Amino acid sequence: MSAGDNAAGGSAESDLVPKHKSSSIIWRYFGFRKDDVNQSDVLCRSCLTKIATKQGSTTNMFHHLKHHHRVLHEECMTMRETPGTSQSSQNKPKQSLIADAFSSVTPYESTSTRHKEITDAITYHIAKDMVPVYTVSKEGFVFIFLRNAWFSPNP
């Protein structure tokens, strides 16, 4: 389908609307006709070519830019690699790193109620699930539980 075929329908670049709740940077280069309420026909904003997509996949859109609009593709790839350029990235809270979460805690006292509760929970797990006792001496368990789970959050 050529750009002329699409233009015959009366669509113009300014008449295209963005995808609802989109987060990919690719949607800056594609859109839908205003009268396409189901947003089923994806159109290129540059040449108004209809792009085949399935269930929100953006692969064909990237392919179209790469093969038909090289400059726009390079611009898109640059923006894609730059943090904070997607539409939704500015609204999403940042998740803290696990190391940061663990560094913000203090150990429980071995005489505290919480220390006893954790010890009892591990003991129950070993007995009820018939887990080998040596599980608590494995590297993963030692790192996560003995170094970190015995901690309480800082006030």
Side-chain angles (χ1 to χ4, degrees):
M1 189 179 303
S2 69
D5 293 338
N6 290 325
S11 294
E13 179 180 345
S14 61
D15 291 338
L16 298 181
V17 294
K19 179 177 169 94
H20 299 297
K21 299 180 182 178
S22 62
S23 60
S24 176
I25 198 74
I26 195 70
W27 288 105
R28 292 186 182 189
Y29 304 92
F30 295 88
F32 301 93
R33 290 184 320 271
K34 289 180 183 176
D35 61 346
D36 185 4
V37 292
N38 295 327
Q39 294 194 337
S40 57
D41 295 331
V42 178
L43 300 174
C44 173
R45 290 184 182 272
S46 296
C47 64
L48 297 177
T49 300
K50 182 179 174 182
I51 308 300
T53 60
K54 284 191 175 185
Q55 299 177 345
S57 174
T58 59
T59 303
N60 286 348
M61 292 183 273
F62 281 106
H63 181 78
H64 176 80
L65 282 186
K66 183 177 183 179
H67 293 283
H68 298 285
H69 311 289
R70 172 83 53 201
V71 174
L72 294 177
H73 181 262
E74 290 172 7
E75 176 186 294
C76 180
M77 291 294 104
T78 302
M79 289 194 312
R80 190 178 187 193
E81 293 169 3
T82 306
T85 56
S86 73
Q87 295 166 355
S88 66
S89 67
Q90 294 146 357
N91 300 333
K92 291 183 181 175
K94 300 294 180 191
Q95 183 174 3
S96 62
L97 300 174
I98 195 162
D100 294 340
F102 287 141
S103 67
S104 66
V105 294
T106 55
Y108 287 114
E109 294 292 329
S110 60
T111 58
S112 73
T113 304
R114 184 65 180 143
H115 184 277
K116 182 178 180 342
E117 289 171 352
I118 292 171
T119 303
D120 290 346
I122 292 169
T123 305
Y124 179 81
H125 166 65
I126 290 170
K128 179 70 175 175
D129 296 334
M130 292 191 278
V131 178
V133 175
Y134 72 87
T135 300
V136 297
S137 62
K138 288 186 172 183
E139 183 180 339
F141 188 94
V142 170
F143 177 77
I144 297 298
F145 289 99
L146 297 181
R147 291 190 184 160
N148 299 312
W150 302 115
F151 293 83
S152 62
N154 282 333

